[in-house]
Amino acid sequence: MKELKFLIAIWKTNLQSAMEYRGAFLTQVIGMIANNFIYFAIWIIFFNRFKDVRGWGINDMYVTFGVLASAFGLVSLLFGNAFTLSDIIAKGRLDYYLSLPRPVLLHTVASRTIASGMGDFIYGFISYGMSGYFTWDGLARFVLAMLLAATVFAAFLILTQSLAFWFGMMTNFSNLVLNAMLTFGIYPITLFDSYAKLILFTIIPAALMGAIPAEFIRAFTWTTLGQLLLGAIGFLSLAIFIFNTGLRRYESGSAIQIEV
Amino acid sequence: MTSIEVSNLQKTFQTKRKAAGLSGSIRSLFKPEYSSVEAVRSLSFQMEAGELLGFIGPNGAGKSTTIKMLTGILHPTSGEAKVLGFTPWIDRQKLAYQIGTVFGQRPQLWYHLPAMDTFILFGKIYELDDRETKKRIDYLTEAFEIKDLLDVPVRKLSLGQRMRCEVATSLLHRPKLLLLDEPSIGLDVVAKQHIRDAIKRMNQEEGVGVLLTSHDAGDLEALCKRVIIVNHGQIVYEDRVSNLKRKFLTTKMVEVRYAEEVSKDYAINGVEILKVGNYGVKLKFDTTKTPVDFVMFNLSSVGDIVDITISDPPLEEVIAKIYKEVENSSLMDNPRSRKSIGTM
């Protein structure tokens, strides 16, 4: 409860900071919604030509892309620094968070809002609405699945970016795995054999961000809910453990920082 | 009561070494070489509650590393430290409620928002209730003279104005101890004075202890009662500022104006003549070698004195002299060097 109050205060401040430049804020939000529509057009063209890929149709794509976009948007909005954590570690910018009486990881990742995330977040709901699977029950499952997918995604970002404690600057590597996560996340899961699926549940947990949440949204099963919960708890615990272990190796830095 | 107790604190960093050029980069890619840099070496000192302690030294002396260990930002390689009864790197969160920190090179104010928004956020971070936060903001606003700055986005403030807001932010939760790492860096004379006055006031009114690192001897002179000088991660001098002055301010500068014209070959034994003008002379002498009354007698024997100014050299010169003597001294690696240099 104590941490939730703190998080709400910091998110409010983030939002105020992002909205300080009203024009830029609105352009980013609207621009990102438009961008997603344009990007999705390629899948519409693809499924017009092939109709279905091993039982996976355009409607499934709408749901998968929707939940992935909203989860991505939510992490961008609420935990924006998860995308640049390695940079923060390598440049010694954790000092600020370490000097304040709050959990370092939570405080760090929650201290930035990426305004375009609002566009992704909204677009995800629109995409689900257009999927043809929309029901009110489904919407509730969409929200739950999206929250769990966002947890897996944020945890995965933290995990890979925390490697900066050992290897220094990890920005390029982090971008690489981020792209892999998003790319595989929207591919029809039916395309992959069991070995590939194993990778998509573990090393690059893209299935837990796209296909499995989509399956759960379309129809409730305890198996998919279990997979999502297990993935979210497992990856989050691992990410926190890796970050805290790495924190002992933190070396700070003397770079002059001119803004927060 | 002791607020900081440090014993044999040590911090060693592993630094990557690489030969210059592309071949060096390629070699380093396959066979990286590391060397150890001892940023802090067997540091031991104490600070009393409510004390104003200056912690100074040249660049790379280990000042910031020490402050970072005392706030729990860095884990030491070895040694012990207690700050307000807490081990900083173990009880970081508990300690953070009791101390305030300002890193002159690392702002804590939100750059795009007015300082007031950061104050409110910090109120939540330190779990103050809204009424208490407001009351405290009012008090600090008056103490730091920042009432007119609170609603202006921080990016539009001058460095001096921003620094006043930074220090005020760090005092929002009524800390018992304030750790200031170069708070006056880049500030003009007036801005420095503002900050010093406000810190002094907080020390007097609320008993806040202050550990201050600075390159500015003026900060030391204006604020601190005691000083620790560090170099190469070790304490090389530790004493009261008044003793430092007494021991090292042995040189006097004198400017004299005469009623009559002064001879160009003006000279006094044991006195260094810096400048001879038509009616005035500027000179300096060491009081341990040349007695003051001898100099005064000789000055008055030249002619009728119209005006005279006697001053000490700036403390900055004294500190530079200490650094220089330490650099030249082989005592550097001797743990007892602190005493030896203290009696120079």
Side-chain angles (χ1 to χ4, degrees):
Chain A
M1 195 61 199
K2 195 172 88 172
E3 300 308 342
L4 189 66
K5 266 188 184 170
F6 156 69
L7 274 179
I8 290 168
I10 207 152
W11 286 333
K12 251 170 71 182
T13 315
N14 275 339
L15 198 62
Q16 281 169 259
S17 184
M19 291 197 310
E20 187 68 15
Y21 301 94
R22 202 167 51 119
F25 179 75
L26 291 173
T27 320
Q28 284 184 68
V29 174
I30 295 164
M32 190 47 78
I33 295 176
N35 186 46
N36 285 335
F37 270 113
I38 293 164
Y39 176 80
F40 197 74
I42 194 85
W43 288 106
I44 296 175
I45 296 165
F46 178 90
F47 279 100
N48 265 340
R49 172 80 178 77
F50 297 106
K51 299 299 171 207
D52 112 6
V53 179
R54 294 188 189 172
W56 194 275
I58 186 71
N59 294 353
D60 303 302
M61 282 307 296
Y62 270 116
V63 180
T64 311
F65 193 59
V67 72
L68 185 133
S70 281
F72 180 90
L74 192 69
V75 174
S76 309
L77 272 178
L78 303 183
F79 302 109
N81 268 343
F83 291 88
T84 51
L85 190 60
S86 76
D87 203 47
I88 293 171
I89 295 166
K91 290 185 178 161
R93 282 167 47 207
L94 278 183
D95 289 9
Y96 168 78
Y97 306 102
L98 280 162
S99 62
L100 294 171
R102 291 295 174 172
V104 185
L105 178 59
L106 188 66
H107 193 173
T108 307
V109 294
S111 286
R112 179 171 163 237
T113 279
I114 301 170
S116 60
M118 181 71 91
D120 286 314
F121 183 72
I122 295 170
Y123 175 83
F125 283 85
I126 299 172
S127 185
Y128 172 60
M130 290 167 69
S131 70
Y133 283 117
F134 183 86
T135 59
W136 290 108
D137 285 4
L139 181 64
R141 285 198 300 278
F142 179 89
V143 172
L144 177 62
M146 186 261 294
L147 289 173
L148 293 170
T151 308
V152 172
F153 183 51
F156 185 64
L157 285 176
I158 292 165
L159 208 153
T160 53
Q161 305 242 4
S162 294
L163 298 177
F165 284 119
W166 287 270
F167 306 114
M169 207 66 131
M170 293 294 288
T171 315
N172 290 337
F173 174 74
S174 303
N175 286 340
L176 201 74
V177 291
L178 168 68
N179 286 332
M181 182 91 167
L182 297 178
T183 308
F184 289 121
I186 52 170
Y187 277 3
I189 189 87
T190 48
L191 277 178
F192 302 103
D193 61 20
S194 47
Y195 288 112
K197 277 183 187 161
L198 183 68
I199 293 171
L200 295 182
F201 275 93
T202 53
I203 299 169
I204 303 166
L208 294 169
M209 203 184 160
I212 303 300
E215 225 173 295
F216 176 71
I217 294 161
R218 283 196 306 266
F220 176 87
T221 65
W222 285 107
T223 313
T224 47
L225 180 61
Q227 283 172 333
L228 285 173
L229 279 170
L230 199 70
I233 295 167
F235 272 98
L236 190 60
S237 310
L238 188 64
I240 293 170
F241 173 73
I242 296 284
F243 180 86
N244 286 336
T245 308
L247 194 58
R248 287 187 60 86
R249 300 172 56 91
Y250 178 61
E251 291 202 338
S252 185
S254 58
I256 294 174
Q257 190 187 320
I258 52 165
E259 62 176 284
V260 173
Chain B
M1 211 181 99
T2 311
S3 68
I4 297 180
E5 207 168 349
V6 174
S7 167
N8 292 318
L9 203 62
Q10 192 125 354
K11 180 71 189 176
T12 306
F13 290 110
Q14 292 294 313
T15 309
K16 200 173 172 184
R17 297 260 172 220
K18 179 192 91 65
L22 182 63
S23 58
S25 297
I26 294 170
R27 257 202 315 277
S28 159
L29 195 64
F30 293 101
K31 201 182 166 197
E33 284 174 20
Y34 295 90
S35 64
S36 296
V37 176
E38 286 185 309
V40 174
R41 293 195 279 174
S42 296
L43 200 76
S44 301
F45 71 92
Q46 286 193 343
M47 179 180 160
E48 294 304 312
E51 190 183 352
L52 291 160
L53 176 63
F55 199 69
I56 64 166
N59 285 331
K63 307 181 298 287
S64 298
T65 304
T66 305
I67 291 236
K68 283 174 186 172
M69 286 191 279
L70 295 182
T71 47
I73 290 173
L74 289 177
H75 286 248
T77 309
S78 63
E80 285 168 26
K82 288 273 179 204
V83 179
L84 302 170
F86 298 106
T87 303
W89 48 94
I90 294 171
D91 307 307
R92 182 191 65 79
Q93 276 182 268
K94 283 182 202 157
L95 176 64
Y97 282 103
Q98 311 284 328
I99 61 169
T101 47
V102 175
F103 293 95
Q105 301 178 7
R106 302 255 162 108
Q108 50 191 351
L109 294 167
W110 285 56
Y111 189 66
H112 297 292
L113 294 175
M116 185 57 133
D117 287 323
T118 303
F119 281 141
I120 293 168
L121 176 65
F122 269 56
K124 301 281 181 203
I125 288 176
Y126 286 107
E127 297 174 62
L128 309 176
D129 75 45
D130 293 349
R131 224 176 36 197
E132 197 184 338
T133 305
K134 199 186 165 310
K135 233 167 93 181
R136 187 68 177 158
I137 292 171
D138 288 344
Y139 172 74
L140 292 169
T141 300
E142 188 261 319
F144 283 82
E145 297 174 40
I146 51 173
K147 194 173 182 7
D148 298 334
L149 312 178
L150 286 185
D151 299 326
V152 182
V154 170
R155 65 177 185 276
K156 303 244 167 104
L157 299 178
S158 72
L159 187 59
Q161 292 171 329
R162 210 193 69 202
M163 231 30 230
R164 267 189 282 160
C165 295
E166 288 279 352
V167 181
T169 309
S170 68
L171 288 160
L172 191 75
H173 56 296
R174 298 175 192 275
K176 292 178 187 151
L177 176 67
L178 196 56
L179 296 147
L180 304 170
D181 192 13
E182 298 184 26
S184 59
I185 195 162
L187 301 187
D188 65 37
V189 188
V190 181
K192 279 179 190 172
Q193 199 52 48
H194 262 121
I195 300 254
R196 287 169 190 160
D197 290 345
I199 292 172
K200 217 187 264 179
R201 179 174 164 184
M202 299 310 293
N203 173 260
Q204 281 159 2
E205 289 183 7
E206 302 197 335
V208 186
V210 179
L211 176 65
L212 168 95
T213 81
S214 180
H215 283 295
D216 189 333
D219 285 342
L220 205 67
E221 232 171 344
L223 284 172
C224 303
K225 296 271 182 286
R226 193 161 67 94
V227 63
I228 289 176
I229 302 180
V230 283
N231 202 1
H232 299 295
Q234 280 184 312
I235 295 179
V236 294
Y237 183 88
E238 186 179 352
D239 209 341
R240 295 183 69 78
V241 175
S242 54
N243 288 347
L244 172 83
K245 282 183 178 172
R246 195 166 46 77
K247 278 181 196 161
F248 292 97
L249 291 182
T250 52
T251 307
K252 297 283 173 199
M253 315 273 289
V254 184
E255 278 183 75
V256 195
R257 274 193 76 75
Y258 291 100
E260 310 88 32
E261 235 176 273
V262 184
S263 154
K264 293 289 172 204
D265 52 3
Y266 186 102
I268 301 173
N269 265 346
V271 173
E272 187 185 344
I273 307 296
L274 300 173
K275 194 178 163 189
V276 180
N278 287 340
Y279 291 90
V281 183
K282 194 172 175 185
L283 50 91
K284 80 173 181 185
F285 66 100
D286 189 337
T287 52
T288 58
K289 292 176 185 154
T290 314
V292 179
D293 53 358
F294 169 77
V295 177
M296 296 311 288
F297 173 76
N298 277 283
L299 286 174
S300 58
S301 64
V302 173
D304 294 337
I305 294 174
V306 178
D307 191 13
I308 186 163
T309 311
I310 302 171
S311 56
D312 292 321
L315 188 58
E316 223 151 59
E317 257 179 43
V318 175
I319 291 164
K321 190 178 155 196
I322 296 174
Y323 290 168
K324 218 169 168 183
E325 286 184 31
V326 168
E327 283 294 339
N328 296 334
S329 165
S330 57
L331 295 167
M332 270 294 306
D333 294 324
N334 181 347
R336 285 182 299 172
S337 61
R338 170 170 166 180
K339 279 180 191 163
S340 313
I341 292 160
T343 52
M344 278 189 300

